[in-house]
Amino acid sequence: MKPDMQRSFGLGLNGVVNSATSDNSTSWGPALEGAKSYDNLKNFFKTGISSQHTLSFQENLGEGTSLYTSANYLNDNSQIPNSKFERFNFMAKMNSNFGVNKRWTSEVKVQYISTKANNRPSGGKGDGNYYPNILLMPQNIDVRDYREGQTQNDVKSRWITPNGINPYWSAYNSLNADKKDRFLLNGYLKYQFNDWLSGDVRVGTDFYALNADARVWTGSSRRNSYATSEEKFYENNYIASLTAKKDNLIGKWGGTVSVYGQMMESRTKAMYFSTQNLIVPNVFSVNNTSDIASVANNEVDFWKKINSVFANAEINYDGYWFINATARNDWSSTLILENRSYFYPSISTSLVLTEMLNKLNGTTSKILTFAKLRAAYAVTGNSLNPYELYNTYKLGADPSGHAILGRKKILYDPNLHAEKLKTFEVGADLKFFNKISLDVSYFRNTATNQLIDLPMNPLSGYEYKKISSGGLSNSGIEVVLNTDIFKKENFTWNLNANFSKLKSTIDRIDGEVLKYPLAGFDNVGFFAEVGMPYGSIYGTKFLRVEDPNSPHYGKLIVGLNGLPQATAEQYYLGDQTPRALFGFTNSFAYKNFGISFLIDGRIGGKFYSSTQSALQKVGLASDTAPGGRRDNFILDAVVQQNGGYTNNTKEITQQDYWGAVTAGNLGITEQNIYDATNIRLRNVQVSYNFPKSIFQKLALQSAKVSFTANNVWMIYSKAKGIDPESVFAINSNAVGFENLAFPTTRSYLFSITLGF
């Protein structure tokens, strides 16, 4: 998916081609007038090929013992040149029942996952992201003309402009690599004392080691740099439990009660090093640096333990009324002794109405063939990360190598409590004519005592203060419908549809602060604001006449040069929270053939597109050449003079207009706020199962082939070729900020499955 771009004008400024020594690569040059234009995104990126192989075995090793093993290998040669990802996954699991009367049950599961990535792309406007260099190229220049001689290390970057960086050079000289080895081991042993009491113990460990480095070679305006890191993590869990289960314990009442004890321990040890001052060029070594302060410039050792006791009880009456309750208490090592203990319960109930009516008086219905009501309330707790209680100093070194102590940027408070998330849900599962299933639910989630970093005045010596406060509420309804619209012996048409309506509100921050920054850049900010949805977007607007009594109310106020102006203040421009989500899947089956397609969508929410702003600035956005032309025009606006307004009569060029709109880093924010509503054909799948009759004399027992296309078609969007799902970072709160993100892609998957 690519932004809407003009292809009528080429390299230059003010309608004139640049000189050979100019460092400007914008597309405000002369009209191409039939000259060839190039799709450089298509020319630079290639079709990525990904192959995945899975082999699994399952067999019985004897009476009561089975073994399952599987191995999976993924090789992904990206559409990005010189970028590759590999993953190997091996898993073995053995189950066994043994002993007198088979009272012992055991399971052992071992899993090893190895991933290796070369040259993951980076986003944003930094030098590490070479996508903007391709996207913002003039359309009359072919990026492939700059490939030769740029795909080796330690070569000089050759580009359109003297100081520009060739994207091919970046792909082969701005490198990164990471390798992660992960081991998971789980063991389970259960003993059945009698027909109603059992006990079990579980142990598990999750361990990984991650090594990464990044290196930038000489040959461009980027500094010859090196970074490397080593990270190790483990989490161990030990759980013991007793379970008592009895049906018809008292009359028709029965139930299950389980009590548990758990010990969890996790630890992360890591070392990070980076420098941009290599003494000997292109010798990527920790010792090859003149920057003494950067050697071993960040070391972490996070250690955390949580001990827990919890219980679960389920009561049922005659198989149609069920009540579940849980209670859990954690003791976390990351909180002070007085606050270390925190408790959180849950309770849920469900009533199968149709079963109840049938058992009480034999009532059945051919219309409402199944009906269940349910309700649930739950609280979950979460403690601090390690070492966020007390204010300490961190040890460092100045450029001369002298030891120095400095404050951390966050002011900690030892009296903080664990944060709590409270959820409430009611719903109904209904089935009509034994054919149409309907699931309806209402939910409300409330987060309290949230652990957040609240900004402080830098003159205090700190940038943030860790507080236990805040309140966020999310509520909405969800509806899921499933039915076979048509069903005969050889043909079935099934429809599955879902719809959810969402509402998000910030209830409280700390009692005094009403607006809390989540993320942002330059004049675009994303906030949690009391009384508003989560992710309020603030930025500048076009300066307009705001007096409703003025005959010019709503008109732009331009300068004497006829160009638009931005407000001095930031204003609320929308929020990133969707109002509703929906999707429906149609599945068709005819004999051994199957076909399905999924259409889904998002309604509401806003986002800011930095890509559009960048395209407008360089004259590549389709809006910069309406109808393929760049005629001068006069804005329907007013000029503020002598305390009043006069009509604007100043003629301006497209280049001048868009230069004013995109002035600074991100321009006038209002211009590039877009509705995130979109509808897309998400997935299409076709499959064929070969008849088993053809395998009667073969070792092969089954075979299936399938073809899948993902991200097939953007049916509706107002974002001018920018995918609203392109966000600045997955782990960012600013999901409404699109910042020169790589375009989303369509993928095709062909698979063969064989069974022996």
Side-chain angles (χ1 to χ4, degrees):
M1 188 173 182
K2 295 177 288 188
D4 298 342
M5 299 166 69
Q6 63 86 11
R7 300 191 181 277
S8 303
F9 296 86
L11 175 67
L13 278 173
N14 300 310
V16 179
V17 178
N18 293 336
S19 65
T21 58
S22 172
D23 203 33
N24 186 287
S25 60
T26 62
S27 296
W28 294 109
L32 297 181
E33 296 180 346
K36 187 174 182 179
S37 65
Y38 299 92
D39 185 343
N40 285 314
L41 292 179
K42 182 178 179 181
N43 292 342
F44 181 83
F45 295 108
K46 58 190 178 69
T47 299
I49 303 295
S50 176
S51 61
Q52 186 167 188
H53 312 272
T54 302
L55 182 65
S56 61
F57 295 91
Q58 183 170 333
E59 62 177 324
N60 294 323
L61 301 179
E63 186 179 355
T65 302
S66 63
L67 175 66
Y68 175 83
T69 58
S70 69
N72 176 279
Y73 174 70
L74 169 68
N75 185 302
D76 185 355
N77 282 298
S78 171
Q79 68 268 26
I80 302 168
N82 204 32
S83 180
K84 184 178 182 180
F85 177 80
E86 292 181 279
R87 184 185 66 219
F88 175 73
N89 188 340
F90 172 80
M91 190 267 285
K93 180 173 67 174
M94 185 171 69
N95 297 280
S96 182
N97 292 104
F98 59 95
V100 179
N101 298 323
K102 302 291 186 181
R103 291 194 174 190
W104 290 95
T105 302
S106 67
E107 178 181 292
V108 178
K109 180 180 177 182
V110 180
Q111 189 171 7
Y112 168 67
I113 306 168
S114 175
T115 60
K116 184 167 64 173
N118 289 320
N119 306 321
R120 297 178 186 265
S122 62
K125 288 192 173 183
D127 289 337
N129 183 9
Y130 50 82
Y131 167 64
N133 288 348
I134 310 155
L135 176 70
L136 304 179
M137 281 188 69
Q139 302 293 293
N140 59 327
I141 298 176
D142 190 346
V143 68
R144 293 171 296 186
D145 293 341
Y146 291 86
R147 187 180 191 279
E148 186 176 353
Q150 297 290 293
T151 59
Q152 294 84 34
N153 296 138
D154 193 20
V155 295
K156 184 172 177 58
S157 175
R158 176 175 60 88
W159 193 229
I160 305 166
T161 57
N163 296 319
I165 302 177
N166 187 313
Y168 289 109
W169 183 94
S170 293
Y172 290 87
N173 285 270
S174 178
L175 308 178
N176 64 78
D178 60 82
K179 187 177 188 300
K180 184 176 183 180
D181 293 298
R182 184 180 181 189
F183 298 87
L184 295 98
L185 175 63
N186 295 281
Y188 167 71
L189 182 64
K190 175 183 176 183
Y191 182 72
Q192 190 74 39
F193 295 99
N194 50 44
D195 63 348
W196 61 271
L197 181 65
S198 65
D200 65 61
V201 292
R202 304 166 189 262
V203 295
T205 185
D206 182 356
F207 168 82
Y208 74 75
L210 173 64
N211 293 279
D213 74 37
R215 50 191 70 186
V216 177
W217 293 70
T218 55
S220 77
S221 57
R222 295 194 63 187
R223 300 184 72 173
N224 187 200
S225 62
Y226 177 56
T228 185
S229 64
E230 294 182 358
E231 183 175 305
K232 293 182 178 180
F233 167 86
Y234 73 81
E235 179 179 314
N236 295 331
N237 281 279
Y238 309 92
I239 304 174
S241 71
L242 280 175
T243 300
K245 181 178 181 180
K246 191 72 173 177
D247 292 329
N248 302 319
L249 182 62
I250 302 175
K252 296 181 179 180
W253 291 94
T256 302
V257 176
S258 299
V259 292
Y260 302 83
Q262 178 179 1
M263 295 187 296
M264 187 282 291
E265 178 185 14
S266 67
R267 191 171 188 177
T268 302
K269 288 180 67 68
M271 184 80 73
Y272 305 95
F273 163 84
S274 64
T275 182
Q276 293 188 344
N277 296 307
L278 294 178
I279 300 172
V280 181
N282 300 328
V283 176
F284 301 101
S285 169
V286 171
N287 297 319
N288 181 34
T289 178
S290 60
D291 188 356
I292 300 176
S294 70
V295 177
N297 59 0
N298 194 6
E299 181 180 9
V300 299
D301 187 357
F302 293 150
W303 199 355
K304 182 176 183 178
K305 291 185 178 182
I306 297 179
N307 293 334
S308 309
V309 293
F310 51 102
N312 175 70
E314 178 186 300
I315 303 172
N316 71 81
Y317 180 78
D318 202 17
Y320 61 77
W321 184 23
F322 304 87
I323 301 173
N324 287 77
T326 67
R328 181 178 181 118
N329 202 97
D330 288 350
W331 289 265
S332 174
S333 66
T334 63
L335 298 171
I336 63 171
L337 187 62
E338 294 80 4
N339 299 335
R340 186 164 293 172
S341 172
Y342 51 99
F343 173 78
Y344 45 101
S346 74
I347 186 168
S348 64
T349 183
S350 61
L351 178 65
V352 184
L353 290 174
T354 47
E355 185 72 13
M356 180 185 72
L357 294 174
N358 184 35
K359 288 189 174 184
L360 292 178
N361 54 28
T363 301
T364 59
S365 172
K366 293 183 179 180
I367 299 176
L368 184 62
T369 52
F370 179 82
K372 181 173 76 172
L373 303 178
R374 66 182 190 275
Y377 174 79
V379 181
T380 56
N382 182 44
S383 62
L384 284 165
N385 291 323
Y387 318 127
E388 293 188 343
L389 284 178
Y390 302 106
N391 300 296
T392 59
Y393 289 93
K394 60 180 181 179
L395 180 64
D398 65 16
S400 301
H402 301 117
I404 58 174
L405 292 174
R407 279 197 182 107
K408 293 183 178 180
K409 296 180 179 180
I410 302 176
L411 176 62
Y412 295 124
D413 180 357
N415 298 308
L416 296 181
H417 294 263
E419 60 185 9
K420 299 287 184 70
L421 175 64
K422 302 175 182 179
T423 62
F424 172 72
E425 180 180 349
V426 293
D429 300 328
L430 308 173
K431 195 166 188 177
F432 302 93
F433 306 106
N434 208 31
K435 178 182 178 181
I436 304 172
S437 298
L438 182 65
D439 185 336
V440 182
S441 61
Y442 166 82
F443 66 89
R444 180 177 177 83
N445 303 327
T446 304
T448 59
N449 293 331
Q450 289 179 286
L451 299 166
I452 58 178
D453 296 335
L454 192 69
M456 295 181 64
N457 187 331
L459 295 177
S460 67
Y462 298 94
E463 295 182 8
Y464 300 93
K465 179 181 180 180
K466 178 73 72 173
I467 66 169
S468 177
S469 186
L472 170 65
S473 298
N474 291 301
S475 61
I477 59 170
E478 294 180 340
V479 180
V480 179
L481 173 69
N482 185 282
T483 183
D484 288 332
I485 296 177
F486 186 87
K487 187 173 184 179
K488 291 295 182 182
E489 182 179 356
N490 292 324
F491 180 75
T492 301
W493 175 12
N494 176 267
L495 172 67
N496 185 283
N498 63 80
F499 174 83
S500 58
K501 184 173 176 59
L502 311 172
K503 183 180 180 181
S504 169
T505 306
I506 304 297
D507 300 317
R508 185 177 182 273
I509 296 178
D510 75 338
E512 297 181 2
V513 176
L514 300 179
K515 195 164 70 171
Y516 164 65
L518 300 171
F521 176 66
D522 200 56
N523 58 339
V524 182
F526 298 83
F527 296 87
E529 184 175 6
V530 174
M532 301 294 287
Y534 182 81
S536 296
I537 305 174
Y538 275 76
T540 55
K541 299 196 303 183
F542 285 94
L543 189 64
R544 290 184 172 88
V545 178
E546 301 290 347
D547 182 4
N549 297 317
S550 170
H552 303 290
Y553 175 62
K555 282 194 173 184
L556 293 179
I557 301 175
V558 297
L560 295 176
N561 56 7
L563 298 175
Q565 304 174 89
T567 56
E569 304 293 330
Q570 290 187 334
Y571 292 85
Y572 173 77
L573 299 174
D575 64 84
Q576 62 194 29
T577 304
R579 301 304 183 260
L581 304 170
F582 69 88
F584 59 90
T585 302
N586 282 277
S587 302
F588 304 88
Y590 176 71
K591 294 185 178 180
N592 293 332
F593 287 94
I595 183 171
S596 67
F597 64 89
L598 166 64
I599 295 177
D600 64 17
R602 162 185 170 138
I603 301 173
K606 304 285 187 180
F607 76 100
Y608 175 84
S609 174
S610 175
T611 297
Q612 285 289 1
S613 177
L615 289 170
Q616 294 158 4
K617 184 185 287 287
V618 301
L620 276 173
S622 59
D623 290 340
T624 64
R629 299 171 60 87
R630 281 186 172 160
D631 299 328
N632 293 352
F633 64 101
I634 299 173
L635 280 173
D636 182 14
V638 294
V639 179
Q640 191 171 16
Q641 289 179 315
N642 302 321
Y645 299 105
T646 59
N647 288 324
N648 173 49
T649 59
K650 182 70 173 180
E651 187 176 79
I652 58 175
T653 66
Q654 289 285 344
Q655 180 178 331
D656 289 339
Y657 174 80
W658 291 106
V661 170
T662 61
N665 287 315
L666 298 177
I668 301 175
T669 311
E670 180 186 6
Q671 172 64 42
N672 289 304
I673 294 289
Y674 295 93
D675 186 351
T677 299
N678 66 92
I679 303 171
R680 71 184 76 208
L681 178 58
R682 177 78 63 176
N683 173 279
V684 176
Q685 184 176 47
V686 181
S687 63
Y688 179 73
N689 280 294
F690 289 91
K692 291 187 177 181
S693 58
I694 68 175
F695 306 123
Q696 291 179 356
K697 297 182 180 181
L698 301 174
L700 194 66
Q701 294 184 1
S702 64
K704 178 183 178 180
V705 294
S706 64
F707 173 79
T708 304
N710 297 305
N711 212 19
V712 181
W713 174 33
M714 180 65 79
I715 301 171
Y716 174 83
S717 174
K718 293 183 178 180
K720 300 179 181 179
I722 303 295
D723 191 337
E725 292 184 354
S726 298
V727 295
F728 176 61
I730 296 300
N731 61 350
S732 169
N733 288 315
V735 295
F737 189 24
E738 184 279 320
N739 190 23
L740 290 164
F742 276 75
T744 52
T745 58
R746 182 182 298 116
S747 64
Y748 305 95
L749 173 67
F750 178 71
S751 64
I752 304 174
T753 306
L754 305 176
F756 297 87

